[in-house]
Amino acid sequence: MKRIAVLGSTGSIGRQTLDVAAHHPDLFKIQVLAAYDEVDILAEQVYRFNPACVVIYDASKYQQLKDRVPASVEVLTGQEGLCQAAAYEDTEIVVVAVSGAVGILPTLAAAQAGKRIALANKETLVAAGDLVIPLCKETGSELIPVDSEHSAIFQCLRDERKALQQIWLTASGGPFRKFSREQLQRVTVEMALQHPTWSMGPKITVDSASLMNKGLEVIEAHHLFQVDYDRIQVLIHPQSVIHSMVEFVDGSWLAHMGVPDMRIPIQYALTFPERFETPTQRLDLLGMADLHFEQPDLERFPALQLAYEAGRTGGTMPAVLNAANEIAVHSFLAGHLRFAEIPDVVAYVMSRHQVKVVRTVDDVLQCDQDARELTRERIARGG
Ligand code: MG
């Protein structure tokens, strides 16, 4: 029986993690739950899973939650509460499924405590991969990716990293794959939130539509698998049947296939190296007309190019890319920025940044804060 902490339990990955745990009550015990501010859903989850500890990030909701859960449940709040939850002594696995750079400190806390980390938060590796990866090596903390592409690569690669030629990251291409530049100018929030193959939270869905998600995944893959950017290729594959591929030095390729259902990579990260049954649909290759591949168009989707640039520059630049993108995406969702302007804003903030080497988490958090401020200013100024 593995005891699990789920950080971001009310989000899309968090809820699917709880589904996985409920499906295998003999394998998993939910010991810690943490969410941003959704008291109702969190209280319901506490009732259902009976954890020892629960965290509500928004301190103004602390009392409201405390009044709703049994007195035996420890209630924590804020960034400090989230970090305590990540290092909770009575757990073996921490699922980091919070959205955005808020995942950095709890991931480091889990790594410091030597937990297995099932990482669904790519922003953490993008911004702080230079800190997280060495710390995991030092403490023996296992970092298992939940992101479907990285889970695929992780499964294909296993112990053969030395023979790796290159990684092929597949991308669905999002809802605007065939849009012209003019059409991209007129994208609404509603249109951006309709993803053709995956059902996800709003931030990642917008990132998928701009291809920034794939860019962040390129940087994530660089850190996870310690591969140079020249050996990470992106391929548009609209059916999302192949979740990614690895190419070995002898010319062999391994591809990971399956239905697009996040419960599969979530469960694998919890049970690795073993596999167990899931209640998901099965792949029906005969019911599929064809599998299609194409080159990503960096002119229509410049966010992917920006991510490669930030990754190759290294240091604090990926953290700046990520912070600017987070603010730009939230501004777009709030109706203050057009979809096509997201990469323009990110490029502007990157152009203003003086790159530093990442030595401490404060180096990352300071650049993150500065970039957020500059992005907000730029958006408020307009154009
Ligand atoms: Mg992904």
Side-chain angles (χ1 to χ4, degrees):
M1 179 80 96
K2 296 278 189 236
R3 285 161 302 183
I4 300 178
V6 184
L7 312 186
S9 67
T10 58
S12 173
I13 296 290
R15 281 183 278 117
Q16 293 181 81
T17 304
L18 296 182
D19 274 359
V20 167
H23 188 70
H24 288 293
D26 48 328
L27 295 179
F28 309 119
K29 165 80 179 86
I30 299 297
Q31 195 71 349
V32 179
L33 290 167
Y36 185 70
D37 65 353
E38 293 184 285
V39 173
D40 288 343
I41 303 174
L42 197 50
E44 162 74 20
Q45 291 177 344
V46 169
Y47 179 76
R48 227 177 119 206
F49 291 95
N50 190 30
C53 171
V54 61
V55 184
I56 185 104
Y57 188 85
D58 181 347
S60 72
K61 301 280 173 73
Y62 172 82
Q63 197 56 47
Q64 218 179 314
L65 181 70
K66 191 140 176 79
D67 294 342
R68 297 272 300 272
V69 302
S72 58
V73 178
E74 186 178 1
V75 183
L76 302 171
T77 187
Q79 182 68 255
E80 211 185 300
L82 201 55
C83 289
Q84 273 176 266
Y88 205 73
E89 65 167 356
D90 218 14
T91 59
E92 286 91 25
I93 307 176
V94 182
V95 179
V96 182
V98 296
S99 170
V102 73
I104 295 172
L105 289 172
T107 304
L108 287 169
Q112 188 69 55
K115 310 286 186 192
R116 171 181 289 194
I117 302 167
L119 189 66
N121 171 286
K122 65 195 64 169
E123 292 89 345
T124 289
L125 281 187
V126 168
D130 290 340
L131 301 171
V132 173
I133 302 292
L135 182 60
C136 286
K137 279 198 184 125
E138 191 187 314
T139 63
S141 168
E142 291 176 291
L143 187 62
I144 318 277
V146 168
D147 207 348
S148 63
E149 294 80 357
H150 304 78
S151 176
I153 296 160
F154 182 82
Q155 293 178 54
C156 290
L157 207 48
R158 296 296 294 263
D159 292 327
E160 295 197 273
R161 287 192 192 191
K162 267 199 276 182
L164 178 69
Q165 177 88 42
Q166 55 186 350
I167 284 172
W168 292 86
L169 267 179
T170 52
S172 73
F176 310 134
R177 181 168 64 91
K178 294 185 166 164
F179 274 37
S180 65
R181 278 176 162 227
E182 293 68 42
Q183 284 174 301
L184 285 169
Q185 294 293 330
R186 294 193 296 273
V187 163
T188 64
V189 171
E190 204 184 7
M191 287 157 78
L193 291 181
Q194 298 298 323
H195 195 274
T197 49
W198 294 95
S199 159
M200 307 173 289
K203 198 263 174 181
I204 184 173
T205 304
V206 175
D207 283 346
S208 296
S210 69
L211 291 197
M212 181 59 92
N213 181 56
K214 207 50 53 179
L216 298 176
E217 288 181 353
V218 166
I219 302 174
E220 186 185 7
H222 162 80
H223 286 293
L224 274 172
F225 307 112
Q226 302 283 294
V227 174
D228 322 328
Y229 288 96
D230 294 340
R231 297 197 296 145
I232 305 172
Q233 312 296 338
V234 172
L235 207 53
I236 304 291
H237 166 47
Q239 292 82 10
S240 300
V241 166
I242 294 178
H243 295 145
S244 276
M245 297 173 275
V246 299
E247 179 184 350
F248 291 108
V249 288
D250 65 352
S252 298
W253 290 50
L254 291 183
H256 179 282
M257 301 169 79
V259 291
D261 187 320
M262 286 308 294
R263 290 175 298 178
I264 299 172
I266 291 168
Q267 180 170 302
Y268 188 74
L270 302 179
T271 64
F272 166 82
E274 289 188 86
R275 291 185 194 275
F276 292 87
E277 171 275 329
T278 67
T280 56
Q281 277 192 334
R282 293 299 137 125
L283 193 57
D284 173 21
L285 285 178
L286 291 176
M288 219 155 275
D290 72 319
L291 296 183
H292 177 78
F293 302 95
E294 63 192 43
Q295 191 96 296
D297 182 343
L298 299 179
E299 289 197 4
R300 282 183 304 135
F301 299 100
L304 179 58
Q305 181 68 32
L306 289 173
Y308 266 106
E309 278 171 35
R312 287 194 166 104
T313 304
T316 47
M317 192 60 102
V320 167
L321 165 94
N322 178 64
N325 181 60
E326 275 188 37
I327 296 298
V329 168
H330 288 298
S331 298
F332 165 65
L333 288 170
H336 303 316
L337 190 71
R338 283 187 301 167
F339 178 78
E341 291 172 323
I342 295 173
D344 300 342
V345 168
V346 174
Y348 168 79
V349 176
M350 281 172 63
S351 74
R352 295 279 304 271
H353 180 59
Q354 289 221 315
V355 186
K356 295 180 211 67
V357 177
V358 173
R359 292 205 172 80
T360 68
V361 71
D362 289 332
D363 294 337
V364 175
L365 298 179
Q366 189 59 54
C367 287
D368 176 274
Q369 280 315 312
D370 294 349
R372 277 165 205 268
E373 214 160 291
L374 185 58
T375 312
R376 284 193 197 96
E377 271 170 40
R378 173 74 175 189
I379 292 169
R381 237 182 20 241

